[in-house]
Amino acid sequence: HTLVDAQQLWRDASEALDRGYALDNEEAELGVGCIATPVLNADGKMAAGLSVSAPIERRDRAWSAPVVAAGQKLSARLGYYSKSH
């Protein structure tokens, strides 16, 4: 399920940035999906990523809120401060 169309890839990346998390829809492994969010350092640069994987039929987008919250907490521990939070 790899995205091979460049325009679709850019759209998907832009949407992920807007919502604060990305979805893996069986691109890495058939039958597996994940929800991922960035972990930012004090300079606001991505230092790591945090993700939760599950069988695609069990992955629930409702998990995105706690995944993003955990990424934000880790970012804060690394010294990242967002004016919007």
Side-chain angles (χ1 to χ4, degrees):
H1 297 118
T2 301
L3 294 175
V4 294
D5 177 82
Q7 289 180 337
Q8 180 59 43
L9 180 61
W10 282 111
R11 272 192 303 273
D12 191 64
S14 178
E15 290 169 5
L17 283 172
D18 289 342
R19 68 178 173 249
Y21 65 91
L23 297 171
D24 175 330
N25 293 311
E26 299 182 275
E27 287 94 355
E29 185 176 344
L30 289 178
V32 178
C34 90
I35 299 170
T37 194
V39 177
L40 307 175
N41 66 17
D43 297 323
K45 295 183 178 169
M46 194 163 118
L50 175 68
S51 68
V52 173
S53 298
I56 194 71
E57 66 274 359
R58 290 182 40 216
R59 185 195 67 192
D60 188 337
R61 285 182 78 157
W63 300 348
S64 63
V67 170
V68 169
Q72 290 171 342
K73 286 181 183 180
L74 287 170
S75 297
R77 299 273 318 252
L78 292 177
Y80 178 70
Y81 173 75
S82 171
K83 292 179 183 175
S84 65
H85 298 296

